[in-house]
Amino acid sequence: MDKKPIILTVDDDAQVLNAIDRDLRAEFRQDYRILRAASGEEALETLRELLAREEEVALILADQRMPGLEGVELLAEARTLFPDAKRVLLTAYADTEAAIRAINNARLDHYLMKPWDPPQQLLYPTLHDLLGAWQATHRPRFKGVRLVGFQWSPLSHDLKDFLAGYMVAYQWLDFETNPDAQALLSAKGLAAADLPVVVLEDGTALARPTATEVATHIGLTTQATQELYDVVVIGAGPSGLAAAVYGASEGLKTLIIERQTPGGQAGTSSRIENYLGFPTGLSGAELAHRAWAQAVRLGAELLAPREVTELCVQDGYKVLTLSDGSTVRTRAVVLTTGVSYRTLEVPGMHRLSGAGVYYGAARTEARSCDEQDVYIVGGGNSAGQAAMYLATYARRVGIVIRGESLAASMSAYLIEQIAHTPNIEILPFTEVAEVCGQDHLEAVVLKSRGELRQVPARALFVFIGAKPSTEWVCQTVLCDGKGFLLTGRDLVTDPRYATAWKHPREPYLLETCVPGVFAAGDSRAGAMARVASAVGEGSMAIKFVHQYLDE
């Protein structure tokens, strides 16, 4: 339940304090919480506590003549803590000149005379007017996760990507340009050295947190709960999520482990328009979130963000070692580790990665590109979807491709959309030669037909093909020369791998050289890089898991 805004009344005279407290409660308690303080010092301490708890103060009513800190001094101090709160001085007739001076000098909102009887005539009308004015201009505090950081900080970017990947509603506050960010950090007793800071809805502040720390606080499961699973799916891209949905729905004790965010490369797509059943399209993050929720509803357990670093076989069981040293035991494994974007090896790329240079992440950083020039490297569907999304924010989007056109690598519907978007420009026979900037990207050097030219750029998004995320498992499971997982008939028909399969039966269609370990999706050799085919392979893998478990 949302907390009501606060009216704070302050007076050192207990009888007067009781009277004003009684009258305020009689009129305003339905919409406001009434707090009281018996001195200026006590009131300031109360206000500091309220600021730390991120409470909302609507009005402060303070007596002028108090020992120690007088009313005017208190209200002036209160303005630094709650600048939007209405401030009213309660004064006797003899102090009216001082009250008028305070309104002019200390920028008080009003003063009221003692006694105020009857309050219906001498108290309530004035306070109703002031509170109405406060309500009219007040911006309620964002209800949810807030992220405070530097725009060009790779750590801040990683946390933005993480929260966006799990579709956690969050508010981004740039410490260098947003006064609210600086005030929030001060209220939490933190400094710029603590950035990035994640502030949770309950007010808890996490300084420079890891993704696992944030995951724990937002309710994600980070530790396995079962001693033994029927099947563990490694990777929560479309194929992994499909495997989890079908495994759980068919009664298998199913665990899915994701090291980053659900959706894989598809999860970074701003709009997928060629997936069956969604005629108006949907974002990759939305598709992943729906599949994630579906898998959980059907009984799958999802562990994230957790990374599997080793797979070994002990007495027929598969033992997975996680990055923190813990282990998970399972009867079968489905490898859906997907692929990662290849890095662009030109001067400046490594230094500015996460600070204007991004691999994927178009949805995360699009708003920071408002009315700026940005460039995209790559001519596949991911690049096209990113270009269309960025075009709604950026002044100009340049698509850098080495070939003559997009026709060889991009779907026709995307090419047509790009052709009808006036602020997208195709740059054929062009490549990035260098990226420039001090602490963030400022310019890109383009090379076209042997000529170099430097152009200003707010951001560079790279989509230049992918490599399989299988480095950790290639010593256990057979991969081809490029690192893709070999499965099924490839293990017995190709003479190069003739000795890899040692089981009496032939391998199942998606089975690797280790019986009971299956592969699906983009990391599998011969797979088609489409969301629909990945979903199909993930679903098929569960059929073969059943056959293996029934042996």
Side-chain angles (χ1 to χ4, degrees):
M1 181 178 179
D2 290 343
K3 293 180 179 179
K4 298 175 183 177
I6 290 165
I7 297 175
L8 175 64
T9 180
V10 191
D11 202 306
D12 66 309
D13 185 321
Q15 186 175 354
V16 175
L17 185 60
N18 287 336
I20 189 70
D21 182 78
R22 177 200 65 219
D23 289 343
L24 290 174
R25 289 180 186 278
E27 183 70 8
F28 298 104
R29 65 183 176 185
Q30 293 295 325
D31 301 311
Y32 299 88
R33 283 184 293 152
I34 314 300
L35 301 184
R36 52 193 287 176
S39 68
E41 291 81 5
E42 181 185 338
L44 272 183
E45 184 61 30
T46 298
L47 289 171
R48 292 189 183 103
E49 291 178 3
L50 294 173
L51 182 63
R53 297 205 305 262
E54 300 184 61
E55 304 270 11
E56 294 177 339
V57 176
L59 185 142
I60 305 167
L61 181 61
D63 183 50
Q64 166 60 9
R65 291 197 177 187
M66 294 186 293
L69 198 64
E70 290 190 336
V72 170
E73 296 172 308
L74 164 64
L75 294 174
E77 289 279 346
R79 185 168 179 266
T80 64
L81 300 174
F82 290 94
D84 298 329
K86 298 300 180 181
R87 295 170 299 135
V88 179
L89 191 67
L90 192 62
T91 183
Y93 179 77
D95 296 323
T96 52
E97 289 188 14
I100 293 171
R101 286 197 301 272
I103 289 175
N104 294 329
N105 299 331
R107 300 174 66 179
L108 302 188
D109 294 289
H110 212 281
Y111 75 92
L112 290 170
M113 300 287 293
K114 294 191 293 186
W116 56 85
D117 194 45
Q120 291 80 3
Q121 296 179 16
L122 302 179
L123 179 66
Y124 297 156
T126 298
L127 297 189
H128 274 299
D129 287 345
L130 290 171
L131 291 169
W134 178 82
Q135 290 280 9
T137 59
H138 174 63
R139 291 185 304 163
R141 181 176 68 84
F142 176 79
K143 303 295 184 183
V145 174
R146 284 165 292 170
L147 174 59
V148 184
F150 296 108
Q151 174 60 41
W152 304 117
S153 160
L155 288 176
S156 297
H157 168 71
D158 289 344
L159 286 173
K160 283 194 283 186
D161 237 15
F162 175 79
L163 292 170
Y166 286 96
M167 296 193 77
V168 176
Y170 74 94
Q171 181 184 41
W172 163 249
L173 301 172
D174 189 337
F175 181 76
E176 294 181 304
T177 61
N178 192 325
D180 291 342
Q182 299 166 22
L184 178 59
L185 210 63
S186 177
K188 298 300 178 183
L190 299 172
D194 298 308
L195 295 175
V197 170
V198 174
V199 182
L200 305 173
E201 189 169 356
D202 65 3
T204 302
L206 308 175
R208 297 178 69 86
T210 64
T212 303
E213 288 178 279
V214 176
T216 301
H217 282 85
I218 64 176
L220 298 178
T221 303
T222 58
Q223 298 293 333
T225 63
Q226 305 290 327
E227 292 185 1
L228 179 66
Y229 293 90
D230 293 321
V231 60
V232 173
V233 182
I234 304 175
S239 58
L241 290 167
V245 166
Y246 279 88
S249 69
E250 295 174 13
L252 297 178
K253 192 179 294 183
T254 304
L255 173 70
I256 183 168
I257 305 175
E258 169 55 47
R259 67 175 180 173
Q260 295 175 327
T261 56
Q265 279 199 318
T268 67
S269 295
S270 54
R271 182 146 299 271
I272 300 170
E273 297 189 66
N274 59 354
Y275 186 57
L276 184 68
F278 294 91
T280 59
L282 78 168
S283 72
E286 185 182 1
L287 177 63
H289 185 72
R290 290 185 182 193
W292 181 285
Q294 186 178 15
V296 171
R297 182 180 65 81
L298 292 169
E301 183 180 328
L302 291 98
L303 222 60
R306 306 295 283 175
E307 183 176 6
V308 181
T309 57
E310 185 180 355
L311 183 157
C312 64
V313 180
Q314 295 179 358
D315 301 323
Y317 294 103
K318 285 70 181 172
V319 180
L320 304 171
T321 302
L322 307 185
S323 56
D324 65 350
S326 62
T327 59
V328 175
R329 288 166 55 84
T330 179
R331 298 168 66 196
V333 172
V334 180
L335 298 169
T336 57
T337 53
V339 294
S340 57
Y341 288 111
R342 295 189 182 277
T343 56
L344 184 62
E345 300 298 336
V346 300
M349 285 293 294
H350 179 72
R351 180 171 56 85
L352 297 178
S353 180
V357 171
Y358 307 106
Y359 292 90
R363 286 181 60 84
T364 305
E365 298 296 340
R367 292 185 183 277
S368 69
C369 301
D370 191 43
E371 294 301 316
Q372 302 287 325
D373 290 354
V374 302
Y375 289 86
I376 292 172
V377 184
N381 279 2
S382 294
Q385 290 157 355
M388 290 301 301
Y389 187 75
L390 288 165
T392 62
Y393 298 94
R395 177 176 57 196
R396 176 176 171 273
V397 179
I399 301 179
V400 179
I401 54 173
R402 291 184 175 183
E404 181 180 3
S405 73
L406 299 170
S409 54
M410 190 178 292
S411 295
Y413 79 92
L414 271 173
I415 295 175
E416 184 177 356
Q417 289 178 0
I418 288 170
H420 289 88
T421 306
N423 61 331
I424 297 179
E425 180 183 2
I426 310 298
L427 303 173
F429 305 115
T430 304
E431 56 188 288
V432 173
E434 184 180 357
V435 293
C436 309
Q438 294 298 317
D439 60 344
H440 67 276
L441 180 71
E442 297 173 15
V444 173
V445 177
L446 300 177
K447 182 179 180 181
S448 179
R449 303 181 189 277
E451 295 184 2
L452 297 176
R453 63 186 177 103
Q454 182 171 299
V455 293
R458 172 73 173 191
L460 178 71
F461 298 91
V462 182
F463 302 86
I464 56 169
K467 59 180 180 179
S469 302
T470 57
E471 305 89 350
W472 63 276
V473 78
C474 278
Q475 292 181 347
T476 306
V477 178
L478 189 64
C479 301
D480 67 11
K482 295 182 179 179
F484 291 93
L485 298 163
L486 291 163
T487 58
R489 296 289 296 168
D490 287 343
L491 297 171
V492 294
T493 59
D494 192 320
R496 292 174 297 176
Y497 314 123
T499 61
W501 180 258
K502 298 180 174 60
H503 201 276
R505 63 168 172 80
E506 284 198 357
Y508 296 121
L509 181 61
L510 299 179
E511 196 168 21
T512 69
C513 67
V514 179
V517 176
F518 302 86
D522 290 354
S523 61
R524 189 183 68 82
M528 182 184 297
R530 289 290 185 270
V531 174
S533 62
V535 169
E537 287 195 8
S539 309
M540 288 169 54
I542 296 302
K543 167 182 165 50
F544 300 126
V545 167
H546 276 296
Q547 291 179 331
Y548 169 77
L549 295 179
D550 290 341
E551 290 179 357

